[in-house]
Amino acid sequence: MSDVNTEELNNASSDRFERQKQKKAAREAEALKTRRIKALKKIGYWIVGLVVVVGAGWLLVKVTGPKGADYSQGVSVLGRDHIADGTTYTSYNSNPPTSGSHYANPAPARFYDKELPDEQLVHNLEHGNIWIAYKLDLPENLIGILKNFSGGNIIVTPRSKNDTDVALVAWGRLDKFNIGSSDIDKQRIKDFISRYQNKGPESISIQGHLR
């Protein structure tokens, strides 16, 4: 075979090798591009999912969270020792009490038309309950409104020692107000419940009624 033919064969072989090399590089580049697109799509899905979760959480807070001003006051937390049933404790630092020594057994969270001992109800507060205490002489229709909040982790009772018509009580927190000739501010009660339920040191996470 002449030198010319040999050179032509070598050149053709070199060209085929170069074309194969270029095709392989193109395939690898295409595969890399596909992997990058898939990775970007996956990241995009995660970002969209995160936005949806955060947005849903924000919307839930806007819908169910407090809507008005916080009229409550913080009260210094006392001890939480147990005392014998029937004992009268005289060292509470608010009216009604928001913390301190108490009986060993809390009351079932519901509506009551008879007074319960402060010492028992403080145990409810320790469990994260909300206590709505109302004056004995409150009109029946207004008592009915308060009754609608009872249940879950909300206990509603009359209380002769109240110095206002209504007291909203949580562990270390208190909001008191008179009603006068107006209707009960239900949003104020709902906001207090939203802010302070399940905040006791031995909280049992149960949601109260926001009617």
Side-chain angles (χ1 to χ4, degrees), residues 134-140 143 158-159 164-165:
Y134 64 88
K135 271 189 174 180
L136 290 166
D137 59 356
L138 211 61
E140 285 297 323
I143 293 174
R159 186 172 182 273
T164 58
D165 291 334

Side-chain angles (χ1 to χ4, degrees), residues 102-198:
H102 51 267
Y103 296 166
N105 296 307
R110 60 180 179 83
F111 174 79
Y112 294 84
D113 57 9
K114 294 182 180 179
E115 290 193 65
L116 298 179
D118 287 350
E119 293 83 1
Q120 182 178 26
L121 292 164
V122 170
H123 197 156
N124 287 79
L125 304 180
E126 185 184 35
H127 284 187
N129 287 181
I130 299 294
W131 173 22
I132 301 177
Y134 64 88
K135 271 189 174 180
L136 290 166
D137 59 356
L138 211 61
E140 285 297 323
N141 65 309
L142 299 183
I143 293 174
I145 293 173
L146 297 177
K147 183 177 181 178
N148 284 334
F149 285 99
S150 63
N153 68 348
I154 301 174
I155 187 165
V156 180
T157 74
R159 186 172 182 273
S160 58
K161 295 179 182 178
N162 267 21
D163 52 16
T164 58
D165 291 334
V166 177
L168 310 177
V169 195
W171 184 261
R173 206 78 196 180
L174 182 61
D175 179 14
K176 303 193 293 186
F177 57 91
N178 289 314
I179 298 171
S181 59
S182 63
D183 196 1
I184 290 178
D185 187 346
K186 289 184 283 188
Q187 189 60 52
R188 181 169 177 169
I189 298 173
K190 292 177 183 178
D191 287 348
F192 185 89
I193 293 170
S194 293
R195 288 186 175 103
Y196 300 115
Q197 65 179 339
N198 300 320

